[in-house]
Amino acid sequence: MRLSNFINGAFIAPVDGQYLNNFNPSTGEVYGEIPDSTEADVLLAIEAAKSAQLSWANTPAEEKFKVMNRIAELIDANREKLAMAESMDQGKPLWLARNEMNRAAQNFRFFATAAMQFSSESHAMEDKAINYTLRQPIGVVGCISPWNLPLYLFTWKIAPAIAAGNTVVAKPSEFTPVTAFMLCELCNEAGLPAGVLNVVHGLGQKAGQAIVESKFTKAISFTGGTATGKHLAATAAPMFKKLSLELGGKNPNIIFADADLNKAIKTTVNSSFMNQGEICLCGSRVFVQRAVYQEVKDRLVAEVNQLTIGNPLDENMRIGAIVSKPHYEKVLGYIELAKEEGATILTGGKAVHPSGLENGWYIAPTILEGLPFDCRCNMEEIFGPVITIMPFDTEEEVLEMANATEYGLAATVWTSNLNTAHRVANKIQMGIVWINCWLLRDLRTPFGGTKSSGVGREGGWEAMKFFTEPKNVCIAF
Ligand code: TXE
């Protein structure tokens, strides 16, 4: 399968005619090619987006709603095909890919309604004047998405961007480009006007960099690694671009002794290892209050030992393959580092080679014990099926350890004491706190992190505000 760029409603080959290999993580084999786009391709996409912008901005909200809703319906109608493609491209289990396709449709549906309901504010100054604040589209915006939840995160950016009247130049991750490519076909079928969405495939340092460097992309919405985010911010800052950065995490999962342990343990298996741990919201540091530490540890290890790992297309597999060879090696490298740092491996700790898929990139779900809270394995984002487990005595102690990393994305807290829940939620330095649940998402809520986990928030009105420029008009009476 050879993918093309999607520019001005047409599928076109990269200007230079160069392609990159696309790998299937479950087999480790090349199974397609994607454009190795350069600045020239990005410039074509930007031209198309510029030409389409005014007319799209002036399209009545109801029309925007209708076309975005049709895209959602087409994602639903093609769910099985998309899920299969996502699973092969990313390595995630097919059942999980299906859930993510539901969410991709939901992203479009949610922001289709936002297009209809977004409104301006007005501030009256008694009998002197009235202000009204227009929220106008920014123009052409860049959306750059990662490889862990490919279509889910791609649509999470594109949908609010176009709902707000912008046109988009987007780049999916070079590791997982296929469903973004398929989405373009659905956008044409739904009647999205040419040039509203333009997708350029290729490397971050080349195609991605050109999107960020262009003076015509007035805002950049990016999800990816913290190091890339830093680089991107440095590139964009001198041009005063609006930036939304969703970056890494090193999320604490805190289990108090008074928690509903059945629920906490069951959810911890998911929050640790769903999507091979390749979700920025996965809890990677499990803190358990000492009175129940042994019990939680034993039960968690027993449950994790039951997890099936292998062919992502096999409906019985809970854990699939790691997205790419470099990432597989990075995660295995952290397991080696953990050993050097003195970890005891309670389960996993090694690569897995399922029969018939020996060259695929599989890592057994791994639980590490005995590491200091401030060692590298507890400070740096591993972003794979690897968690650490640590005991704690008091609320103060666990807060200190939980807050000790440079990251501030999400925390999960398990307790049946309302006071503990509120106190910890108040003091923890994270953008998102889940009490007695994990990944329970209301798309209206602000989504994002503090510290090195990012800048800005996505979701609901936050996203609509990010993708618009406020203009205040003051009329004196
Ligand atoms: O992501 P990159 P990488 C974390 C995770 C992972 C680490 C590195 O810890 O191990 O980041 O992953 C594009 N200008 N997360 O290196 O490079 C790139 O093409 C413009 C957390 O694979 O950040 C891709 O489309 N764009 C995360 C996107 O950025 C550039 C999800 C993300 O890739 C660019 C993924 C540049 N100079 C990784 N360089 C999360 N928060 O969910 C790269 N890109």
Side-chain angles (χ1 to χ4, degrees), residues 143-149 153 171-175 202-212 220 222-229 231-232 235 246-249 278-281 323-324 327 330-331 380-384 407 409 453:
C143 295
I144 299 176
S145 56
W147 45 256
N148 55 336
L149 310 170
L153 290 178
K171 196 195 82 62
S173 169
E174 57 273 36
F175 292 109
L203 298 172
Q205 312 87 284
K206 227 194 239 180
Q209 185 73 21
I211 294 174
V212 182
I220 303 288
F222 169 83
T223 299
T226 295
T228 313
H231 174 78
L232 217 130
T235 309
E246 297 303 330
L247 310 175
E278 297 165 338
I279 304 181
C280 55
L281 304 167
V323 68
S324 66
H327 192 56
K330 172 183 157 178
V331 176
E380 298 174 15
E381 187 181 44
I382 300 175
F383 214 63
Y407 295 106
L409 189 52
S453 290

Side-chain angles (χ1 to χ4, degrees), residues 15 40 50 72 110 118 176 197 252 263 267 273 278 330 340 342 348 385 430 439:
V15 173
K50 274 164 65 186
F110 177 82
F118 199 48
T176 54
L197 171 65
K263 222 169 134 190
T267 308
F273 300 113
E278 297 165 338
K330 172 183 157 178
E340 285 164 28
M430 305 282 157
L439 206 52

Side-chain angles (χ1 to χ4, degrees), residues 44-67:
L44 288 178
I46 289 175
E47 270 318 304
K50 274 164 65 186
S51 315
Q53 205 271 318
L54 211 57
S55 138
W56 178 246
N58 290 329
T59 299
E62 194 170 339
E63 285 304 311
K64 292 194 186 93
F65 164 81
K66 280 184 186 159
V67 67

Side-chain angles (χ1 to χ4, degrees), residues 97-419:
R98 280 192 198 107
N99 295 345
E100 290 177 16
M101 296 309 110
N102 290 343
R103 171 60 193 273
Q106 204 187 357
N107 288 340
F108 265 99
R109 203 169 284 123
F110 177 82
F111 284 109
T113 63
M116 294 275 279
Q117 305 210 22
F118 199 48
S119 54
S120 54
E121 302 138 24
S122 107
H123 300 93
M125 298 170 73
E126 293 80 39
D127 60 355
K128 280 199 212 61
I130 186 146
N131 296 274
Y132 61 87
T133 312
L134 295 171
R135 289 204 164 259
Q136 298 180 314
I138 294 175
V140 177
V141 300
C143 295
I144 299 176
S145 56
W147 45 256
N148 55 336
L149 310 170
L151 195 65
Y152 175 137
L153 290 178
F154 193 69
T155 52
W156 182 234
K157 296 185 180 307
I158 288 165
I162 66 179
N166 303 288
T167 51
V168 175
V169 177
K171 196 195 82 62
S173 169
E174 57 273 36
F175 292 109
T176 54
V178 174
T179 47
F181 170 78
M182 292 166 78
L183 177 75
C184 297
E185 287 173 348
L186 303 182
C187 287
N188 273 352
E189 199 179 328
L192 186 72
V196 174
L197 171 65
N198 305 278
V199 178
V200 178
H201 293 279
L203 298 172
Q205 312 87 284
K206 227 194 239 180
Q209 185 73 21
I211 294 174
V212 182
E213 275 176 359
S214 165
K215 64 176 189 215
F216 296 111
T217 51
K218 303 285 184 208
I220 303 288
S221 174
F222 169 83
T223 299
T226 295
T228 313
K230 250 181 221 170
H231 174 78
L232 217 130
T235 309
M239 288 177 273
F240 307 112
K241 290 192 188 202
K242 261 183 127 174
L243 277 185
S244 168
L245 304 175
E246 297 303 330
L247 310 175
K250 189 74 185 174
N251 309 314
N253 174 3
I254 303 172
I255 304 176
F256 283 93
D258 61 9
D260 174 340
L261 293 187
N262 291 337
K263 222 169 134 190
I265 292 165
K266 191 161 171 267
T267 308
T268 295
V269 175
N270 277 332
S271 68
S272 305
F273 300 113
M274 187 184 278
N275 202 40
Q276 300 69 248
E278 297 165 338
I279 304 181
C280 55
L281 304 167
C282 279
S284 54
R285 297 177 294 150
V286 183
F287 297 101
V288 187
Q289 205 159 23
R290 204 170 302 272
V292 293
Y293 182 77
Q294 190 67 39
E295 180 187 352
V296 170
K297 177 177 110 174
D298 292 346
R299 289 177 60 188
L300 192 61
V301 170
E303 294 236 2
V304 171
N305 283 338
Q306 301 299 313
L307 293 177
T308 44
I309 172 164
N311 189 351
L313 299 180
D314 179 338
E315 303 281 353
N316 298 316
M317 293 302 155
R318 285 286 299 281
I319 313 269
I322 301 291
V323 68
S324 66
K325 188 144 190 249
H327 192 56
Y328 167 79
E329 283 166 356
K330 172 183 157 178
V331 176
L332 289 176
Y334 271 106
I335 295 175
E336 287 312 306
L337 174 67
K339 290 180 195 161
E340 285 164 28
E341 291 187 320
T344 304
I345 296 174
L346 299 179
T347 182
K350 57 181 189 306
V352 175
H353 304 283
S355 151
L357 298 169
E358 286 81 1
N359 295 324
W361 306 309
Y362 300 86
I363 297 176
T366 300
I367 306 180
L368 305 169
E369 190 189 35
L371 285 171
F373 79 92
D374 55 356
C375 69
R376 279 186 60 199
C377 283
N378 268 325
M379 290 288 129
E380 298 174 15
E381 187 181 44
I382 300 175
F383 214 63
V386 179
I387 61 167
T388 62
I389 184 165
M390 285 162 280
F392 70 91
D393 291 301
T394 64
E395 194 177 305
E396 291 68 35
E397 182 195 6
V398 77
L399 274 167
E400 195 186 325
M401 294 194 287
N403 286 336
T405 75
E406 64 163 314
Y407 295 106
L409 189 52
T412 305
V413 182
W414 296 94
T415 175
S416 55
N417 183 323
L418 207 52
N419 294 325

